[in-house]
Amino acid sequence: MGIVFDIKRYTIHDGPGIRTTVFLKGCPLRCLWCHNPEGVDPQPQVSFVAGRCLGCGACVEACPERAISLAPGALPMTDRAKCVACGRCVAACPAGARALVGKGRSVEEVLALVERDRIFYDRSGGGVTFSGGEPLAQPQFLRACLRECRARGIRTAVDTSGFADRALVMEIAALADLLLYDLKDMNPSRHLRTVGVPLEPILANLEALAQAGAPVWVRIPVIPGVNDDAATIQDYLSYLAGLEVRYPVSLLPYHTIGVEKYRRLGIPYRLPETRPPSQQALEGFVRMFERAGFEIDVGR
Amino acid sequence: MTERVSRLRAQSFEARPCVSAERATIMTRFYRENLGKHPPPILRALAFRELCARQTIYIGEEELIVGERGPKPMAVPTYPELTCHSLDDLEVLNTREKNQYIVSDEVFAIYRDEIIPFWRGRSIRDRNFAELPEDWLDAYQAGVFTEFMEQRAPGHTAGDGKLFQRGLLDVRREIRNQLAALDLASDPHGWEKRAELVAMDIAAEAMVSFAKRHAELARELAARAPDENRRRELLVIAETCERVPAHPPRTFREAVQAYWFYHLGVIIELNGWDAFNPGHLDQHLYPFYQRDLEAGILTRDEAAEILGCLWVKFNNHPAPPKVGVTAAESGTYNDFVNINLGGLRPDGSDGSNELSYLILEVADELHLRQPQCNVQLSRVTPDRLLEAACRILRRGYGYPALFNADAVVEELLRQGKSVEDAREGGTSGCVESGAFGKEAYILSGYFNLPKVLEITLNDGVDPRTGKRIGPSTGDPRGFSSFDMLLAAWERQLRHFVDVKIRGNSVVQSLYASEMPAPFLSLLIDDCIKKGRDYNAGGARYNTTYIQGVGIGTLTDSLSAILHHVYERRAVGMDTLLQALQKDFHGAEVLRQELLNKTPRYGNDDDRADRLMQWAFEAFFRAVEGRPAPRGGKYHIDMLPTTCHIYFGTVTGATPDGRRAGQPLSEGISPVQGRDAEGPTAVIRSAAKLDHIKTGGTLLNMKFSPQVLANDADLRKFAQLVRSYFALGGHHVQFNVVSAQVLKDAQARPEEYRGLLVRVAGYSDYFCDLSRALQDEIIARTEHGAP
């Protein structure tokens, strides 16, 4: 079993062709700009969309932990310390205002869903992408999924931060058809500060992958005020040019679509002032990569 | 686009439709003089000849392709022999907010003094309503179904290659041979055939002289042309109109003008549905294009200009004015000309050619309301054509629509067409499959599937009026199983299908005997060979469709009852019925539960999709293969035009949480905003319907523009379409526009006059849509790019 927090179909920016992306819950990183905050905590959580709430109180009655309270005329409040994410309030809510984020799923369940869109993968050269969170944080489940996909002839990609044991990274690279490898910053001290883990093992793993000739697409989040200065872009260029393989690069511009998710989970957003990078800046970076001979695109 | 086309386009775009009384006046004077003197086909042919001889001939400045249905562009004739508009009708047309037709005081006066006094009680519409049985009128007024031929003639067909290979003089020779071969001694129907053939001959001759009148006017205009250039152009027009449609066209230009005369003939003769249609225009014109290019008498740009002029002609011809239920079910100026590109050749090879791309370019540049064009995608169609179509879709006009040519062929084969006839066929109107040039495939009316459930839940009574209009199938509170409910629904369905089909016999028989179409019969095989009229079964293939509407709403409603009442047993039938009766007043929690906790169609959820399949099959069983008037059979289609809005207004609250009066789901699309699993799930759900058993299904999808932002994404989108067709889907069309733009257009319509959107089977200016329809389009799920 794995803890999966979402399965999205017709994803077109997570690898080649039309894909289904399976999001595994739990991540060792703490990126300030994280747009999948529901992927961080390895345990299931309950999200709440205030705008849909009818104030009917069904959730209060359904909760066996007495974690939810409802004052007259107000919205229900959840004591997240008491909540065990049993999902009873989710089932009870008539308005669909509550959702369980993260659910135990078997390999068979995941594959059954993935298989549904096989005809779309076949026609477009697509497949399934395992993302997160950090999919390598659930190694057994990920391994089993990848093996099963390979047995059934479904192509796979793994979207990873690269922050994991070398042996595991190399093993997964061999089991998957493609790694989407995030390189969040090139400045080690800033990386530690904004991502929460050291940069060095991530670079070392990428170098090992390149040496082994593993298929990788590098993905760089462009976060204004963090890693979008000319010097950092130059560092990316020289580093990637030095690898054994000239990997294709995608720039992923910072966006604020994730902000609403923070609200639904009751978590404060940590970059409230940051705005997406300008089109002009992105085009400038694209030109720099092109001049250096990289295959480059701007993803989402 | 050349400056000429740009100016003609602007005139067409700016002109406002108005009612012309010219046709009605000529018709009325003719009938007053001649009614009762001739058998109906000959009477109709003589009436057509009178129109061709007397109506105003228009040749506009700068035009290369000439001919109008009325005295000038956007001047719309009426057809009082079919529908005699009352003064109130004219007032509605003149003053309604959307789809207005300006009616001058003079037209009012002519109607009051001449038209209405003669036609009231004589028009087909008046006679239909006098003869239709009471149970039909009850169901019609309740909004269980509509009737396509209450105001408009059958029509519903398209042309094939022969229009471009022979002239009307050839056709007249064929008629004369048939007449000579008639043997009244051995053929008991010989006299009827003779009348029909004589009528066709009169109609052919009338059209030739109509073209010649254009030649004469062109020469007159040339004589006083302001400059040498235009003088030469007018002389070419004169020469062209002398030549076609009497003789087979020799050049690209003549081929286009010949088609346009055929088109005009069909829409002058009667106000048939979907006007007329050149069918596979790229295939038909290609030999002329190639020959002219090689001969050095045409360039690609000149061909584009001629096509641009043809496009403007189509746009100059809004639908004949509709009122009442017909205006509600088909509330648009669009007259549904739908040009087919790509597809197959009769031998099964790829039908696309360089003209397919050129025509797409013209459609893109002009992006007018009319004509529609669509791309017929077969497995042998190159991706290049699909991607060219997607690049136009990206601009957000809602066209071209995309069709599965292989499924269309399979549908037609299932109905008994030969493989060549099936491949030369395609789709016309909104999404209807037909054997072009050989079939009368008549849509007879929309059928409100959720309304039948509402009546079932009320034991045969329409709760809106309290009137019993269906059989008593039991109080659902007493149904111990869900299957009992399904059985009751199917009994009600069969009852109303029977009522509809009985009414169709009345209406179609009246057309067959009283309103023949000798000119249209010249164009459709085998009317001449059989000596029988298009409206009386003369076509090689005759089909009558009943079109199901609201299968998404019906499915979700059945699913809600199954899930909440019978499986979870959380809601009692009585509670549900009371809540529906009160339109959910005081039952918002229940409504939310039904809205949010019901397995729904469009999410690739077999629990719901199985119910859709069951309901579809039940509808199919009730209609399929029953003998139809004109000697053909009944089949089903699944499309709504704007009828899902009208049907919504007459349908009370439904168990899926929809409030009374709100739109039904459209086509085979999921209920608006209730598909949450992305486009592949919608496609998989929709593909579970057995499209091959229909003559057309309509799936609408809305995408945010960023999904097709770059070429890599566009190719994925193209393969999404290919996948739907691999799964057996018939048709899909797209709105590529954000909800924000649509909301802005609602707020500031003056800035968005040219904003085209996809409605259902056709595109229309967003600002010309009713507010309810605008809201419905906004409510459709917008698929993003996760």
Side-chain angles (χ1 to χ4, degrees), chain A residues 7-21 52 54 56 89-98 113 115-121 123-125 217 257 297-298 300, chain B residues 568 588-590 592-597 603-606 674 677-681 683-684 688 703 706-710 713 715-720 722-724 726-727 784-786:
Chain A
I7 298 183
K8 273 207 189 326
R9 299 161 72 170
Y10 196 67
T11 50
I12 54 174
H13 299 119
D14 290 337
I18 296 171
R19 313 190 71 82
T20 295
T21 301
R52 287 187 162 194
L54 302 171
C56 68
C89 61
V90 174
C93 175
R98 308 178 82 83
L113 235 163
E115 285 252 25
R116 285 179 169 255
D117 281 357
R118 184 191 280 271
I119 192 158
F120 302 93
Y121 316 149
R123 306 231 149 217
S124 65
W217 291 4
I257 297 164
D297 69 6
V298 177
R300 267 188 280 270
Chain B
R568 286 177 60 226
E588 185 57 17
V589 171
L590 172 62
Q592 288 296 329
E593 181 108 18
L594 297 169
L595 275 176
N596 297 302
K597 299 291 174 99
N603 294 286
D604 194 11
D605 181 338
D606 286 331
R674 293 291 153 187
E677 298 295 323
T680 62
I683 278 175
R684 281 190 36 101
K688 290 175 197 175
F703 279 80
Q706 81 220 38
V707 177
L708 288 88
N710 61 45
D713 293 350
R715 278 192 290 275
K716 294 180 188 183
F717 180 82
Q719 293 310 315
L720 184 73
R722 285 275 195 199
S723 305
Y724 181 47
L727 289 166

Side-chain angles (χ1 to χ4, degrees), chain B residues 681-717:
Chain B
V682 173
I683 278 175
R684 281 190 36 101
S685 280
K688 290 175 197 175
L689 186 149
D690 193 346
H691 296 249
I692 305 305
K693 288 178 168 171
T694 74
T697 62
L698 192 150
L699 176 64
N700 240 315
M701 297 180 83
K702 193 165 86 180
F703 279 80
S704 63
Q706 81 220 38
V707 177
L708 288 88
N710 61 45
D711 285 350
D713 293 350
L714 182 133
R715 278 192 290 275
K716 294 180 188 183
F717 180 82

Side-chain angles (χ1 to χ4, degrees), chain B residues 129-338:
Chain B
F129 279 107
E131 290 179 30
L132 283 159
E134 201 173 325
D135 58 354
W136 187 95
L137 291 169
D138 284 346
Y140 177 76
Q141 275 151 12
V144 178
F145 49 69
T146 66
E147 172 50 59
F148 260 46
M149 270 79 78
E150 62 109 5
Q151 289 174 42
R152 297 189 66 176
H156 278 297
T157 192
D160 61 1
K162 67 175 174 289
L163 299 187
F164 299 85
Q165 289 150 13
R166 56 170 214 197
L168 284 175
L169 297 185
D170 303 319
V171 175
R172 293 189 70 188
R173 259 192 302 279
E174 194 189 333
I175 293 171
R176 275 199 298 280
N177 291 341
Q178 288 294 325
L179 275 169
L182 273 184
D183 177 6
L184 298 192
S186 63
D187 184 349
H189 297 290
W191 189 246
E192 293 154 42
K193 291 180 186 171
R194 187 183 173 283
E196 179 63 33
L197 288 165
V198 168
M200 290 187 208
D201 193 51
I202 295 168
E205 191 270 330
M207 178 44 66
V208 170
S209 32
F210 184 65
K212 286 196 195 302
R213 289 184 67 206
H214 286 80
E216 284 158 25
L217 178 60
R219 273 192 295 267
E220 270 172 45
L221 292 171
R224 48 193 161 90
D227 61 78
E228 178 57 21
N229 214 3
R230 183 60 184 160
R231 195 183 74 83
R232 269 202 307 269
E233 282 177 5
L234 284 159
L235 290 177
V236 174
I237 289 172
E239 193 196 332
T240 306
C241 297
E242 288 286 354
R243 171 82 199 172
V244 294
H247 304 277
R250 294 164 302 185
T251 62
F252 185 83
R253 170 88 167 260
E254 286 180 359
V256 171
Q257 181 67 59
Y259 172 75
W260 186 245
F261 278 128
Y262 291 130
H263 188 97
L264 285 178
V266 174
I267 64 177
I268 286 170
E269 177 175 59
L270 286 171
N271 64 359
W273 281 98
D274 305 342
F276 193 53
N277 188 324
H280 291 280
L281 191 63
D282 51 353
Q283 293 185 38
H284 300 325
L285 291 179
Y286 189 61
F288 300 98
Y289 178 68
Q290 223 179 1
R291 220 179 300 146
D292 288 4
L293 284 187
E294 277 167 22
I297 57 170
L298 182 80
T299 65
R300 190 176 192 274
D301 288 349
E302 284 164 355
E305 183 170 52
I306 292 169
L307 288 167
C309 290
L310 176 66
W311 251 237
V312 169
K313 281 289 166 196
F314 283 116
N315 197 63
N316 283 349
H317 290 77
K322 297 165 263 191
V323 292
V325 171
T326 295
E329 76 178 349
S330 180
T332 174
Y333 290 128
N334 202 315
D335 213 15
F336 312 115
V337 174
N338 207 334

Side-chain angles (χ1 to χ4, degrees), chain B residues 353-595:
Chain B
N353 57 49
E354 280 312 303
L355 270 184
S356 318
Y357 298 92
L358 182 61
I359 292 174
L360 280 178
E361 282 173 33
V362 169
D364 182 12
E365 281 190 350
L366 270 77
H367 58 271
L368 286 160
R369 176 178 6 230
Q370 299 195 83
Q372 313 291 306
C373 63
N374 68 69
V375 169
Q376 301 277 320
L377 273 180
S378 160
R379 52 189 171 258
V380 298
T381 309
D383 275 348
R384 180 188 162 207
L385 185 64
L386 169 58
E387 287 168 17
C390 291
R391 273 191 285 277
I392 299 177
L393 276 171
R394 177 154 75 184
R395 298 181 185 267
Y397 316 136
Y399 56 67
L402 302 171
F403 286 89
N404 180 354
D406 303 317
V408 169
V409 168
E410 209 178 327
E411 291 157 20
L412 294 174
L413 288 178
R414 194 193 70 81
Q415 297 174 356
K417 277 104 181 169
S418 80
V419 72
E420 290 82 6
D421 290 353
R423 286 172 183 150
E424 198 170 3
T427 54
S428 64
C430 292
V431 296
E432 301 89 283
S433 300
F436 292 171
K438 298 158 197 84
E439 184 177 10
Y441 41 115
I442 313 299
L443 304 198
S444 70
Y446 293 117
F447 199 94
N448 188 341
L449 299 168
K451 182 78 189 177
V452 175
L453 178 64
E454 186 184 27
I455 292 166
T456 308
L457 292 175
N458 289 279
D459 192 16
V461 171
D462 177 10
R464 202 162 61 101
T465 56
K467 192 167 183 176
R468 166 167 300 284
I469 59 170
S472 171
T473 45
D475 182 341
R477 293 170 188 83
F479 293 165
S480 56
S481 72
F482 183 63
D483 285 347
M484 287 176 75
L485 176 75
L486 293 183
W489 181 81
E490 193 168 2
R491 262 190 72 196
Q492 296 287 354
L493 174 79
R494 286 178 167 267
H495 167 77
F496 289 112
V497 167
D498 284 352
V499 171
K500 172 67 180 153
I501 283 179
R502 283 199 292 269
N504 282 355
S505 293
V506 175
V507 175
Q508 293 200 22
S509 302
L510 202 54
Y511 272 98
S513 61
E514 303 294 319
M515 212 39 78
F519 183 77
L520 177 57
S521 301
L522 296 169
L523 312 183
I524 305 298
D525 298 335
D526 300 315
C527 296
I528 297 173
K529 205 191 282 178
K530 291 190 200 169
R532 199 185 301 166
D533 193 83
Y534 177 87
N535 283 350
R540 184 175 303 168
Y541 307 107
N542 289 283
T543 304
T544 304
Y545 284 108
I546 298 176
Q547 310 97 256
V549 173
I551 193 148
T553 300
L554 172 71
T555 299
D556 288 2
S557 295
L558 290 174
S559 177
I561 297 173
L562 173 62
H563 186 69
H564 298 288
V565 177
Y566 288 98
E567 285 179 355
R568 286 177 60 226
R569 296 178 176 279
V571 181
M573 183 66 89
D574 184 55
T575 310
L576 176 66
L577 294 181
Q578 286 193 34
L580 294 179
Q581 197 191 356
K582 292 183 197 138
D583 194 16
F584 295 110
H585 285 301
E588 185 57 17
V589 171
L590 172 62
R591 193 177 87 90
Q592 288 296 329
E593 181 108 18
L594 297 169
L595 275 176

